[in-house]
Amino acid sequence: MPVKKSAALGFIFVTLLIDVIGFGIIIPVMPKLIESLTGEGLSGAAWYAGWLTFAYAITQFFMAPVIGGLSDAYGRRPVLLSCLLAFCLDYLFLAWAPNIWLLFVGRTIAGITGASMTAGAAYIADISAPEKRAQNFGMIGVAFGVGFFIGPGLGGWLSQWGPRAAFVAAAVLTLLNFLYGLFVLPESLAPENRRPFDIKRANAFAAPAQLRKYPVISGLIISLILIYIANFAVQSTWSFYTMEKFKWTEKWVGYSLMFVGLMVAVVQGAVIRVAIPVLGQKKSVVLGLMLYAIGLAMFAFAFKGWMMYAALIPYCLGGICGPSLQGLMSSQVPPTEQGELQGALTSLVSLTMIIGPLMMTSIFSYFTKASAPVYFPGAPFLAGCAMLLLSIILAIISFKKKHAPATA
């Protein structure tokens, strides 16, 4: 079936958007749900929440290359639709789980279906001209920004009907998206660009190793890993940091997250479409990483609450580097291996989800406890800034390696 590009891109955007809204919806209500299932206070609930994140991340780490390989073999459409249907089941698990252990089952299912990002990114690569890939990959960032703007607010509003109402809403949204895709979404991967599924290549540890044959990819992947770990300084400690240093309430934390979502949507939806064609992908990567680092340094040393909002401007503008990196890496891989590339990248992101949150929350805890050698709650942001500076160096070194455009 010939791909109607605008309709297909629209569906992928909606799919990723609903994924992020579903994630955002549960942020305000997850602590209360865990408390109700365990009888623990917030401290105990946070411990369970950490392991629930671990269950999600490690499952996604192993399953992402499998999903990518299956999409290379059988096409993007059946894989995407299967993931959406399974995601719906996950939310239903969360909505009606009578005990904490079924939450772990649900999060494990979510780890599998969260790999839908793999097939979605491969779909974008299939239908995008090489010069448009970076801009179209920016749709992923737009979906994150808009979804993160809508999700937490919607979850807070739904909480008036109890902590489980948000999960029912997420399940309904996902089911509607599945039905829409079932009747509308065309296949993007032509039969001649498919390859047989090879379980050895779908190994979570082997998939990244497959990318070593592309010299530029290896260095850029290390840069990408450092970026994701560094960004967990914000994702994992933002609430703790702002409450500790500026005494923000949950409401003010929510407002700040909505501002983050708005900024990300603007950058990924508008700024990159101007910046990347003007600067080029390589300069966009370096400039984006520099802006990320500046934003994190400003977070670390802010002494007034309004400074956090000011720091979000360079930090969110740094988002121009992500689509540029993906575009550069995608250009080094032939059409038959786009799914494998995206699967390997999703596995690496999942690996950083296992490492990053634990690292950043531990740094925050160490530098805010009574026995700390120096009181410095901004330490995670400074650590992230150092990682980004290293990422800049590695990216520049990678750009100097010889490479050629990918062929089928």
Side-chain angles (χ1 to χ4, degrees):
M1 181 186 298
V3 178
K4 297 178 180 178
K5 293 186 178 181
S6 59
L9 282 172
F11 175 82
I12 295 300
F13 174 79
V14 172
T15 298
L16 300 178
L17 175 63
I18 289 178
D19 281 358
V20 179
I21 290 176
F23 173 76
I25 280 177
I26 69 177
I27 291 175
V29 298
M30 184 63 92
K32 292 297 182 183
L33 178 60
I34 296 175
E35 282 184 318
S36 69
L37 292 176
T38 63
E40 300 277 355
L42 275 176
S43 178
W47 183 84
Y48 280 104
W51 282 106
L52 285 167
T53 302
F54 176 86
Y56 173 89
I58 199 162
T59 305
Q60 190 179 71
F61 173 70
F62 285 108
M63 287 304 301
V66 175
I67 296 295
L70 289 172
S71 77
D72 279 342
Y74 302 106
R76 318 302 184 199
R77 185 177 186 273
V79 172
L80 274 169
L81 293 178
S82 298
C83 285
L84 284 172
L85 190 59
F87 228 147
C88 180
L89 294 176
D90 163 51
Y91 287 130
L92 292 176
F93 257 103
L94 297 174
W96 282 290
N99 57 61
I100 189 68
W101 306 116
L102 279 183
L103 281 192
F104 278 95
V105 174
R107 288 288 82 188
T108 300
I109 295 174
I112 299 171
T113 57
S116 63
M117 188 75 73
T118 299
Y123 197 111
I124 292 173
D126 291 339
I127 64 176
S128 302
E131 66 274 11
K132 292 289 185 181
R133 276 181 183 162
Q135 295 178 49
N136 288 339
F137 277 132
M139 288 177 53
I140 297 174
V142 177
F144 174 84
V146 175
F148 207 71
F149 182 80
I150 296 172
L154 182 58
W157 179 72
L158 289 169
S159 66
Q160 61 185 304
W161 289 285
R164 296 177 186 263
F167 299 101
V168 176
V172 171
L173 283 173
T174 306
L175 180 60
L176 290 174
N177 196 30
F178 166 79
L179 293 174
Y180 173 67
L182 186 63
F183 295 106
V184 174
L185 183 69
E187 179 54 63
S188 66
L189 187 64
E192 62 270 20
N193 287 333
R194 300 184 187 186
R195 63 176 177 84
F197 178 72
D198 184 351
I199 190 64
K200 293 180 180 179
R201 292 179 67 170
N203 182 291
F205 297 101
Q210 290 286 333
L211 303 176
R212 292 177 183 172
K213 56 188 173 184
Y214 305 106
V216 175
I217 293 289
S218 300
L220 292 182
I221 282 178
I222 297 174
S223 291
L224 199 62
I225 290 172
L226 290 171
I227 292 168
Y228 280 117
I229 293 177
N231 283 333
F232 276 112
V234 177
Q235 297 174 30
S236 300
T237 69
W238 181 268
S239 298
F240 299 101
Y241 177 75
T242 53
M243 289 180 177
E244 169 73 20
K245 193 165 186 178
F246 308 115
K247 310 305 177 187
W248 283 4
T249 63
E250 293 87 346
K251 182 169 68 174
W252 281 104
V253 171
Y255 289 156
S256 67
L257 290 176
M258 291 181 71
F259 183 73
V260 170
L262 179 62
M263 283 293 299
V264 170
V266 170
V267 170
Q268 299 295 330
V271 174
I272 66 166
R273 295 186 178 274
V274 176
I276 294 176
V278 171
L279 297 173
Q281 292 182 349
K282 293 180 180 180
K283 289 182 180 178
S284 294
V285 169
V286 175
L287 177 60
L289 290 174
M290 290 175 65
L291 288 168
Y292 267 148
I294 290 169
L296 286 176
M298 291 174 68
F299 291 148
F301 295 105
F303 55 89
K304 294 287 185 180
W306 64 264
M307 293 180 175
M308 299 298 286
Y309 282 89
L312 280 170
I313 296 174
Y315 178 77
C316 291
L317 285 172
I320 65 172
C321 80
S324 300
L325 270 174
Q326 278 196 296
L328 284 166
M329 288 187 284
S330 179
S331 68
Q332 299 302 302
V333 176
T336 56
E337 298 178 14
Q338 289 293 333
E340 182 177 58
L341 168 65
Q342 301 303 332
L345 294 179
T346 305
S347 286
L348 291 172
V349 171
S350 300
L351 187 60
T352 66
M353 286 179 65
I354 298 170
I355 300 169
L358 291 174
M359 175 188 296
M360 295 305 178
T361 53
S362 296
I363 293 173
F364 177 83
S365 177
Y366 179 78
F367 282 98
T368 54
K369 64 184 181 181
S371 59
V374 58
Y375 177 77
F376 185 37
F381 299 120
L382 203 58
C385 180
M387 291 182 184
L388 289 169
L389 294 176
L390 177 58
S391 183
I392 293 172
I393 295 171
L394 292 173
I396 291 173
I397 292 172
S398 294
F399 294 153
K400 293 181 178 179
K401 293 181 180 180
K402 294 181 179 180
H403 62 283
T407 58

